[in-house]
Amino acid sequence: MLDLTSVDLLDAFTQELKLCKLKPDEHVVVLSEPTSRGDYVAAAFGAAKSCGAHVIAATVPGGNPSPSDSTRTGAGPGLSAVLGDTAAQDLLKAADLVVDLTREGFIHAPLQQEILRTGTRILFVCDAPDVLVRNLPRPEDKAEVLKGVNLLKSASVMRVTSEAGTDLTVELPGSKPEFQVGFADDPGRWDHWPSTMVLCWPRFSEGRIVLSEGDILLPFKEYVHRPVTLEIAGGNIEKVSGGAEAHLLNTFFDDANDEWGRSLSHMGWGLMRTADWFATALYGKEELMGMDARAFAGNFLWSTGPHPVLRRESYAHVDIAMRGCTVSVDGQEVVTAGRLVDF
């Protein structure tokens, strides 16, 4: 792990805001809650000023409203202080760029889409300092993820296999292919620093997913120690079997008491070549978001819970990052045994 100074953070945030195409005289809101990192607030504020932007640092009370107890569901609808405050909402809608330094942000909140529709760009930042610096995106990353998005848009079927026994067939029509690239440079764009991935929201999937030793369960931030088999039918997890991690997943789904908790959500593959798979083992669980695992180059990332295409609102959101998979789109491999393919 790197020993970073305030100067290093200021430089990294400045590079990041330039990737977001921040222009002089644009308006930036640095959004935080009391538990946000003060050095991030200072770095984002200073970076925006150095770009010639108008900047406001807004601190709102933290916490999510019921039923978003993160120890049970892993996700929430967003900051209650903003969800119920029209003045705060108006401030965010009036901004050209929001640098969101809160813990949960608005990722699963309808309010986020409402803010984005005004043209506001939102950059979500929630990971350890050296994770941000090591995974600072490059301008050329966008062309690569868009290439994957365009492939998914014109395709019919994605198939995911592995030597461990995974064999999943995914129907792609209507799956709304998307991407994360680590910077928010287009009006109405939300993105996450760091992240480089291609994803989609399939309506239907069928088959078997077998988790191997070393795959990563998020938000638990735990590595799999014994194989876990998940039987998938009609886009739903019908059965989970295996060791302790299977019991963990089953208990999570049961405790969430969420009708969509066992339904598959987004899935795709990572392209962040600077990511470290072992990063999850090097930090305390509160120190990082886990984007090294989620966006690791050549991974297969899939999730459960919320599904905007099918209009399913859910807070039982689990991300599972797998290595060693082969991902093909209409027969064309984009990942072969966990390694990216240049297509």
Side-chain angles (χ1 to χ4, degrees):
M1 293 183 285
L2 299 175
D3 185 14
L4 299 174
T5 68
S6 58
V7 175
D8 296 317
L9 278 179
L10 177 61
D11 179 62
F13 270 84
T14 301
Q15 292 183 61
E16 178 67 24
L17 296 193
K18 288 181 178 178
L19 286 170
C20 292
K21 295 183 180 177
L22 183 61
K23 300 179 179 63
D25 292 327
E26 283 196 309
H27 292 80
V28 176
V29 172
V30 179
L31 181 67
S32 65
E33 56 188 323
T35 56
S36 298
R37 294 184 59 121
D39 52 353
Y40 283 15
V41 175
F45 192 99
K49 288 292 291 181
S50 71
C51 291
H54 305 284
V55 57
I56 295 173
T59 303
V60 298
N64 286 308
S66 177
S68 63
D69 182 349
S70 63
T71 61
R72 296 176 68 85
T73 65
L79 289 170
S80 56
V82 176
L83 292 176
D85 187 342
T86 56
Q89 295 171 24
D90 290 343
L91 176 65
L92 301 180
K93 292 175 182 178
D96 296 292
L97 176 67
V98 173
V99 182
D100 185 354
L101 304 178
T102 65
R103 188 64 183 170
E104 294 289 348
F106 304 97
I107 299 174
H108 302 288
L111 174 62
Q112 177 165 285
Q113 296 304 314
E114 186 179 326
I115 294 170
L116 294 173
R117 282 194 292 270
T118 68
T120 297
R121 315 192 295 281
I122 300 177
L123 178 70
F124 183 55
V125 187
C126 186
D127 235 310
D130 53 312
V131 173
L132 299 181
V133 172
R134 173 168 46 79
N135 294 313
L136 194 70
R138 310 167 303 164
E140 56 266 33
D141 291 340
K142 188 172 182 180
E144 188 173 21
V145 293
L146 286 175
K147 189 177 179 182
V149 169
N150 290 333
L151 179 65
L152 291 178
K153 284 181 177 178
S154 61
S156 299
V157 176
M158 178 167 66
R159 189 178 178 205
V160 184
T161 60
S162 73
E163 288 189 0
T166 294
D167 193 347
L168 183 71
T169 300
V170 180
E171 293 188 3
L172 293 174
S175 64
K176 193 184 177 185
E178 297 180 2
F179 67 92
Q180 292 179 17
V181 71
F183 51 88
D185 58 338
D186 295 318
R189 173 77 189 162
W190 177 94
D191 219 301
H192 189 167
W193 172 33
S195 185
T196 316
M197 67 172 72
V198 175
L199 65 145
C200 62
W201 305 86
R203 297 172 179 268
F204 185 85
S205 52
E206 193 90 19
R208 176 184 297 108
I209 297 174
V210 180
L211 308 182
S212 298
E213 293 91 340
D215 290 343
I216 302 177
L217 308 178
L218 301 150
F220 314 117
K221 300 167 189 171
E222 295 280 354
Y223 292 90
V224 172
H225 293 92
R226 291 182 58 188
V228 177
T229 299
L230 303 100
E231 301 293 342
I232 312 299
N236 298 304
I237 300 171
E238 299 295 324
K239 182 180 179 181
V240 183
S241 59
E245 288 79 19
H247 181 66
L248 173 67
L249 287 170
N250 277 319
T251 303
F252 176 88
F253 294 137
D254 291 342
D255 283 359
N257 193 28
D258 188 309
E259 65 175 319
W260 306 120
R262 293 176 183 265
S263 298
L264 269 58
S265 179
H266 65 75
M267 60 182 68
W269 65 93
L271 296 100
M272 195 158 72
R273 292 173 175 81
T274 52
D276 286 335
W277 191 260
F278 54 78
T280 304
L282 299 179
Y283 301 84
K285 292 190 178 185
E286 295 303 313
E287 292 183 272
L288 80 169
M289 185 77 173
M291 295 312 295
D292 277 291
R294 287 180 171 91
F296 184 87
N299 78 357
F300 172 60
L301 180 74
W302 63 276
S303 67
T304 71
H307 199 302
V309 171
L310 297 176
R311 297 183 179 180
R312 293 174 176 169
E313 292 188 15
S314 170
Y315 302 128
H317 189 58
V318 176
D319 284 330
I320 298 182
M322 301 172 61
R323 291 190 300 176
C325 293
T326 294
V327 181
S328 62
V329 180
D330 278 357
Q332 180 175 0
E333 292 185 2
V334 295
V335 177
T336 302
R339 294 187 178 276
L340 287 174
V341 174
D342 186 15
F343 61 91

